[in-house]
Amino acid sequence: KLIINQYFYSNGGHIFVGGDVCVSGHDSGPVFEEQPSSLIYPEGMPEGKVTLSCQARAIPATIYRWRVNGTEIAFAEDSQYTQVAGNLVINNPQNGRDGGSYQCLAINRCGTIVSRVANLKFGYLHDFPPESRSPQTVHEGTGTFLACQPPAHYPALSYRWFINEFPNFIQPEAGRWFVSQVTGNLYLANAKANDTGNYFCFTTINMDITNPRKASPNIRVRFPAETYALTGQTAQLECFAYGNPIPKIHWRKVGGILPPKVGASAEGPILIIPELNFDDEGMYECEVYNSEGRETHQGRISVQAQPEWLQVMSDSEVEISSELQWSCAAAGKPRPTIHWLLNNGRLRISNLALEDSGMYQCVAENKHGTIYSNAELRVQVQAPDFRLNPVRRLVPAARGGQVKMECKPRAAPKPTLFWSRGTELLTNSTRITVTPDGVLWIYNISRSDEGKYTCFAENYLGKANSTGHLSVRDATKITLAPSNADINQGENASLQCHASHDPTMDLTFTWSLNGVPLDLEEPNGHYRRMEGKETIGDLVIVNGQLSHAGTYTCTAQTVVDSAVASAKLVVRGPPGPPGGLVVTNVDDTSVELRWSHGYDNHSPIGKYVILGRSSQTHDWKRMRTGEVMLHFGNAESARVIDLRPWMDYEFQVIASNILGSGEPSMASQSVRTKQAAPTVAPSGLGGGGGNRNELIITWTVSYQNGDGFGYILAFRKQGMPTWTVVRVPHVESSRYVYSNESLSAYCPFEVRIKAYNKKGEGPFSQIAVVHSAEEEPIISPRRINATALTAFEIQVSWDPIQHLIINGIRYWRQHEREAAADRVRTAGLENTARVTGLRPNTLYHVTILAYNSAGTGPPSPRTTVITKKPPPSRPPGNISWKVDGSWVTVRWDHVKSMDNESTVLGYKVSDTLCHPTLRLSLKMCVCVGLTIPICMSPEYLLRFSHLSQRYHIFSYL
């Protein structure tokens, strides 16, 4: 349907008429997104400019025009006015020419709207008159003031005073000094001798220079093109720029990432890099930017280092005539040089002699420092000597095993070594081996091998020998080996291990799992050693877990030999995580998942569960699937349904068996479902409020379901047949403002909404009723009545006004100004309210104002009310009581009220155990169902029969 829209407006005597067609449901009239604001510009500021903002959204695009003081602005090449988009720019503003009221007009073929008025005013502050002022004399201890007499100015000033010289400003001192911010005068409560001096009035104009001259950044402090620093030190790069608005600073490392240790300095004028290392080396860039432009500066940090040893010399003892090689290596930047005797860091000495003994040094240096490494060389010459390292006196060995006997005398040069048993020289055979370095090996030992063995050593300086005794013991054997076991996760398992051994030796048991030794002493661990005989080493596995499955090895060991036996433990448990999860066949509300079976942990997989999460949620939840096959362990695929269109999802798969559910698989790659038209109408449709002649409609942002998302609004006056339809094309929109000069206040509209995207439109929502903006109340509540309830509380009532949201009660004491009145607000159409916290026996003025969303109405005629006098302040005195059987007689003195207190009407008796309160009139009381007369004399009598309680007597109003 096409709607022909004629619009016109008067502007400087001209009439503009548009006969273009506004397409309902497609076009939309202008709506301001930014309007001009009033501002004050400093008078005489050179080469400045003022920008008044104006931006509106509309379909088709908005045309902008401007008025100043009601006259349309003509944009000419020699004019001070320039229009940038919808904004008005005033170049080099001048007082008298450019001051005034500005308005922006936003126009398209659907209509015209006018912005609020923005006033451009010019601020100034003239100089003080040059004439000097006469001295002022005051007597000590008396008060005085000094007049500021400020020069002509606009807008308001702030005032301060300083004494003798700037900036020795006067500070408040226990109320002795006061500077009026209205007149600028300086007041002194009482003068002291040390107050003598020259006083100066210091004025500051309170003006926000909203549009100072803008300038692009200009870097004025630059860090060097090359900065050298040592590792471990802190580097600082400085960068600062002029500009308006104030330029922001951002640092980056060219071709890399700034290290986190720079912290907040990455956005400041000084980049601080602490604890430098070689990774920090590189090119750094400082970027300064504002709305007018940007500028960059680059420089390199070269990280260098003092020499540091990688390999050092160590003291050495070597044989005479042998060869020595020492090495040392150092790191540093620049690369250190090694000062050395030979071969650039490597010292080699051949055919060592005694005179080669001594101290040697290696030196590494670069331009940042020098380091040293020292070592001592001792050249030895010695006949064979077993005194420090004789052959082991007693060497035990197990029958059927093997034994190693070492021969290591001190000798230089290296001696010739050989072994003998008694007088028999031992040579290599099938059971005996003598190595070149003097080690004797005997294999498959028998009892006949027991006896003494002697090692002989000889060089050209002499001979020596040392003897040891070989003792043959019984071999260690496993007598009860562990058996294979099978348990469920969480159960206990026991593995047996018994052994026999030579009784002259100690036997120990150790266990390992898959070759890794077990710690049987760990507190609260899963492994326990069975307490028992020395020959028993059983292992108990407590609360077995899947990780405890494997091969367990028992080792029975003495100092001469050992025996081992192994068994396998199977732990059955929930399945392991499925693998290889991929997402295929993506649709708008469903996807297909495929995976491979994980380890079943020795119990067949019974079913699978699919978990998922979207980009809008962080918690995993169970997803719906269309396959019954998931309840069978051989499933390897499933189709997930009931997903949201155009939403990012991740998925996991969990396998289960009769022992429980296993760990979930790794999350799949994130996938996005395909687009679809909206299926649900937006919720939360409502609105109301706003400015005059406006209808504000609000709703809750809904799911997009696809690209090109927006909303379609339909609204009409209640009772009208025709709907007005508009499109709101913004994804995040949740509010629409319809402006029309013909809109009446608080007019009901029927509103409905639906969503759309590139795939189509969704259904309309249910109709909601929204009212246009209200007008400020023009009448006040009537028939105001105020009644005193107590000394501290009054009740106010009135006739309500229809459609008003809030009523406000304003009250103040006699002799107070109404401007200082306190306020109480009530909700909706209520017509009574209580006001508490008042003063006793005080006259109050009361008036009521009506409120709504548009503002406050006029006050009602005032009424007055006097609060009641306060209750008696003194308690009854001389309380006494007498117990007589089941009766208690209580006596007290009469309370006489003061002149400013209310009259005593009676007394109230209450007990500490919350018995019902007893109120007594002056003539009689009711106590425990009995009516008892009370005497009118100053002594009052009350008898009651509750002997188990304590009672308090006090007067009441």
Side-chain angles (χ1 to χ4, degrees):
K1 181 175 67 174
L2 299 181
I3 300 175
I4 307 300
N5 180 35
Q6 295 282 339
Y7 63 86
F8 66 93
Y9 58 91
S10 175
N11 191 348
H14 301 282
I15 301 297
F16 296 89
V17 179
D20 230 352
V21 175
C22 180
V23 181
S24 177
H26 177 270
D27 294 352
S28 61
V31 176
F32 281 120
E33 292 183 334
E34 190 172 359
Q35 299 189 51
S37 299
S38 297
L39 55 88
I40 300 174
Y41 186 81
E43 187 178 77
M45 185 174 182
E47 300 181 7
K49 63 181 179 181
V50 167
T51 300
L52 298 177
S53 300
C54 183
Q55 296 295 325
R57 68 173 186 270
I59 300 175
T62 305
I63 299 172
Y64 299 94
R65 293 189 180 133
W66 283 85
R67 297 174 181 167
V68 56
N69 299 325
T71 303
E72 184 174 352
I73 295 176
F75 295 96
E77 291 185 2
D78 57 350
S79 171
Q80 74 272 27
Y81 298 114
T82 305
Q83 185 168 306
V84 179
N87 300 337
L88 176 65
V89 180
I90 308 173
N91 297 293
N92 193 21
Q94 297 179 16
N95 194 6
R97 181 190 71 179
D98 299 316
S101 300
Y102 289 80
Q103 279 184 292
C104 170
L105 288 81
I107 310 162
N108 79 351
R109 64 190 181 198
C110 290
T112 300
I113 56 175
V114 180
S115 74
R116 66 190 175 201
V117 174
N119 295 310
L120 174 61
K121 297 182 180 180
F122 288 80
Y124 59 89
L125 175 60
H126 294 172
D127 293 332
F128 278 97
E131 298 83 8
S132 61
R133 301 186 184 181
S134 301
Q136 188 167 332
T137 304
V138 64
H139 294 288
E140 187 173 6
T142 61
T144 187
F145 78 94
L146 298 175
C148 180
Q149 298 176 359
H153 60 273
Y154 179 82
L157 298 177
S158 62
Y159 300 91
R160 300 175 71 187
W161 284 75
F162 64 89
I163 182 171
N164 294 330
E165 61 182 14
F166 184 86
N168 186 22
F169 285 101
I170 293 175
Q171 303 296 331
E173 180 187 328
R176 252 187 8 113
W177 297 99
F178 172 71
V179 177
S180 171
Q181 296 302 311
V182 177
T183 63
N185 296 344
L186 173 65
Y187 294 86
L188 177 60
N190 58 79
K192 297 181 181 180
N194 59 3
D195 292 330
T196 301
N198 296 317
Y199 288 78
F200 299 85
C201 180
F202 184 83
T203 61
T204 305
I205 193 167
N206 297 323
M207 179 169 56
D208 179 17
I209 302 177
T210 308
N211 285 278
R213 185 176 65 179
K214 296 185 177 181
S216 59
N218 180 10
I219 297 179
R220 304 306 298 266
V221 178
R222 299 172 182 264
F223 55 95
E226 189 80 30
T227 299
Y228 294 94
L230 295 178
T231 56
Q233 293 183 342
T234 297
Q236 294 188 357
L237 305 181
E238 295 185 346
C239 180
F240 186 77
Y242 297 166
N244 187 25
I246 298 174
K248 294 183 179 180
I249 300 176
H250 176 70
W251 293 85
R252 72 182 188 94
K253 186 178 182 183
V254 180
I257 301 175
L258 277 179
K261 59 187 176 182
V262 303
S265 70
E267 305 296 331
I270 303 177
L271 178 67
I272 302 174
I273 311 175
E275 298 293 331
L276 279 171
N277 55 52
F278 290 113
D279 292 335
D280 298 324
E281 189 171 73
M283 185 71 71
Y284 288 80
E285 179 182 89
C286 164
E287 179 186 22
V288 293
Y289 60 93
N290 62 13
S291 58
E292 303 300 306
R294 63 186 293 273
E295 187 178 2
T296 61
H297 173 68
Q298 293 184 349
R300 174 175 293 279
I301 292 182
S302 294
V303 180
Q304 300 195 342
Q306 297 175 338
E308 181 179 3
W309 287 119
L310 300 177
Q311 181 181 359
V312 297
M313 308 160 59
S314 60
D315 295 340
S316 297
E317 292 185 358
V318 295
E319 302 170 355
I320 192 170
S321 301
S322 63
E323 181 181 280
L324 169 70
Q325 179 173 308
W326 262 328
S327 297
C328 62
K333 190 176 182 182
R335 183 176 181 179
T337 58
I338 305 294
H339 300 281
W340 203 216
L341 295 178
L342 290 171
N343 297 332
N344 190 30
R346 182 172 297 174
L347 175 64
R348 183 187 299 273
I349 306 175
S350 301
N351 195 22
L352 284 168
L354 288 174
E355 56 268 22
D356 292 326
S357 298
M359 299 298 298
Y360 289 81
Q361 279 189 309
C362 177
V363 182
E365 64 179 342
N366 65 12
K367 65 180 181 179
H368 300 298
T370 304
I371 54 176
Y372 299 86
S373 175
N374 307 322
E376 181 181 4
L377 172 61
R378 295 180 182 179
V379 179
Q380 294 184 337
V381 55
Q382 180 180 358
D385 187 353
F386 281 98
R387 285 177 296 178
L388 295 180
N389 193 19
V391 173
R392 188 176 172 188
R393 286 183 176 275
L394 179 63
V395 181
R399 187 168 52 186
Q402 62 184 31
V403 69
K404 175 184 177 183
M405 301 179 70
E406 294 183 331
C407 180
K408 293 183 177 180
R410 291 175 62 88
K414 183 178 296 185
T416 302
L417 301 173
F418 56 91
W419 285 84
S420 71
R421 182 185 181 190
T423 59
E424 178 187 1
L425 182 66
L426 299 179
T427 59
N428 291 340
S429 65
T430 57
R431 294 181 57 247
I432 295 176
T433 300
V434 180
T435 65
D437 57 354
V439 177
L440 171 63
W441 286 93
I442 304 175
Y443 306 98
N444 192 19
I445 295 173
S446 63
R447 289 286 184 184
S448 61
D449 293 321
E450 197 169 62
K452 293 183 178 180
Y453 291 81
T454 302
C455 176
F456 293 88
E458 179 180 356
N459 65 13
Y460 73 89
L461 295 175
K463 299 179 181 180
N465 63 77
S466 179
T467 300
H469 182 78
L470 176 64
S471 176
V472 179
R473 312 291 176 88
D474 291 336
T476 303
K477 296 180 180 179
I478 299 292
T479 58
L480 180 59
S483 302
N484 294 338
D486 188 329
I487 63 172
N488 291 334
Q489 182 175 339
E491 295 179 348
N492 298 341
S494 179
L495 300 178
Q496 294 179 314
C497 186
H498 299 184
S500 63
H501 68 296
D502 191 292
T504 63
M505 310 188 76
D506 292 332
L507 177 67
T508 59
F509 287 91
T510 60
W511 286 86
S512 64
L513 172 60
N514 298 326
V516 179
L518 300 179
D519 182 4
L520 305 184
E521 306 299 328
E522 180 184 356
N524 303 319
H526 289 273
Y527 300 107
R528 304 282 191 275
R529 166 78 184 275
M530 286 284 287
E531 299 296 336
K533 296 180 180 180
E534 181 188 8
T535 58
I536 298 176
D538 294 354
L539 175 69
V540 176
I541 303 164
V542 180
N543 188 21
Q545 301 298 309
L546 295 175
S547 59
H548 298 150
T551 300
Y552 285 81
T553 300
C554 170
T555 301
Q557 188 170 9
T558 66
V559 294
V560 297
D561 70 340
S562 62
V564 299
S566 298
K568 290 185 177 182
L569 175 66
V570 173
V571 181
R572 303 181 187 277
L581 179 62
V582 294
V583 185
T584 60
N585 299 329
V586 179
D587 207 340
D588 55 351
T589 60
S590 64
V591 297
E592 185 174 344
L593 302 183
R594 293 186 179 276
W595 63 90
S596 58
H597 297 301
Y599 188 51
D600 65 4
N601 288 323
H602 310 288
S603 179
I605 296 173
K607 67 176 182 177
Y608 289 94
V609 173
I610 309 297
L611 301 180
R613 65 181 178 186
S614 70
S615 55
Q616 295 185 344
T617 60
H618 298 288
D619 297 329
W620 294 93
K621 67 176 184 178
R622 188 165 181 171
M623 309 301 290
R624 291 193 59 193
T625 60
E627 283 79 16
V628 180
M629 291 297 294
L630 285 178
H631 293 284
F632 297 93
N634 59 355
E636 289 187 319
S637 66
R639 188 150 198 89
V640 182
I641 60 176
D642 294 343
L643 303 178
R644 290 190 179 276
W646 214 54
M647 183 74 69
D648 294 330
Y649 284 94
E650 291 179 294
F651 299 97
Q652 289 181 334
V653 181
I654 296 178
S656 302
N657 59 20
I658 60 173
L659 298 176
S661 298
E663 294 293 321
S665 68
M666 292 184 61
S668 68
Q669 287 189 341
S670 179
V671 296
R672 176 171 292 184
T673 52
K674 293 184 178 180
Q675 301 184 45
T679 57
V680 179
S683 60
L685 186 60
N691 299 324
R692 185 178 180 182
N693 305 125
E694 285 186 348
L695 171 65
I696 296 180
I697 304 171
T698 60
W699 60 91
T700 301
V701 175
S702 60
Y703 293 107
Q704 295 177 235
N705 280 17
D707 200 7
F709 184 80
Y711 301 93
I712 298 175
L713 274 173
F715 54 91
R716 65 185 178 188
K717 285 185 180 180
Q718 204 169 43
M720 299 297 290
T722 306
W723 293 89
T724 299
V725 180
V726 296
R727 283 180 175 256
V728 183
H730 303 289
V731 173
E732 299 299 328
S733 296
S734 61
R735 183 174 184 267
Y736 178 77
V737 180
Y738 172 68
S739 298
N740 193 312
E741 296 291 337
S742 64
L743 274 183
S744 57
Y746 207 69
C747 178
F749 276 78
E750 293 180 336
V751 180
R752 57 181 182 171
I753 189 172
K754 65 180 176 180
Y756 71 90
N757 59 24
K758 286 185 176 179
K759 290 292 185 178
E761 299 178 359
F764 266 118
S765 67
Q766 296 292 323
I767 294 176
V769 176
V770 178
H771 288 81
S772 60
E774 298 176 289
E775 291 182 338
E776 293 181 0
I778 59 175
I779 59 175
S780 61
R782 298 179 180 179
R783 298 183 185 178
I784 311 302
N785 182 45
T787 305
L789 298 179
T790 68
F792 313 103
E793 183 179 22
I794 64 173
Q795 178 168 295
V796 184
S797 61
W798 63 92
D799 288 346
I801 302 175
Q802 192 174 7
H803 301 317
L804 296 182
I805 299 175
I806 298 173
N807 291 291
I809 301 173
R810 183 184 297 171
Y811 59 96
W812 65 100
R813 288 181 292 162
Q814 191 178 24
H815 309 306
E816 286 185 337
R817 293 184 302 151
E818 183 177 355
D822 291 319
R823 293 172 173 81
V824 173
R825 288 194 173 186
T826 65
L829 300 179
E830 291 185 4
N831 63 343
T832 60
R834 289 192 177 190
V835 180
T836 60
L838 305 179
R839 296 190 179 185
N841 197 27
T842 303
L843 187 147
Y844 280 89
H845 298 287
V846 180
T847 186
I848 301 180
L849 302 87
Y851 294 79
N852 62 16
S853 61
T856 305
S860 69
R862 70 178 62 171
T863 187
T864 59
V865 62
I866 300 176
T867 53
K868 293 184 178 182
K869 292 181 179 181
S873 59
R874 295 178 298 167
N878 295 324
I879 308 297
S880 64
W881 61 89
K882 179 181 178 182
V883 179
D884 184 9
S886 63
W887 291 89
V888 174
T889 301
V890 182
R891 291 183 173 87
W892 63 89
D893 290 346
H894 175 59
V895 175
K896 184 178 181 181
S897 59
M898 310 293 288
D899 292 339
N900 63 343
E901 295 176 341
S902 57
T903 304
V904 176
L905 300 179
Y907 297 89
K908 182 167 65 175
V909 181
S910 64
D911 62 59
T912 58
L913 295 183
C914 302
H915 273 241
T917 298
L918 306 176
R919 290 187 177 270
L920 312 180
S921 70
L922 287 177
K923 294 184 177 180
M924 64 178 54
C925 72
V926 178
C927 179
V928 200
L930 298 178
T931 301
I932 303 174
I934 297 180
C935 179
M936 295 296 295
S937 66
E939 180 183 86
Y940 292 84
L941 171 65
L942 174 66
R943 295 173 57 189
F944 48 97
S945 58
H946 290 279
L947 299 183
S948 60
Q949 279 80 37
R950 176 172 297 173
Y951 291 83
H952 298 280
I953 311 298
F954 51 92
S955 57
Y956 77 97
L957 174 61

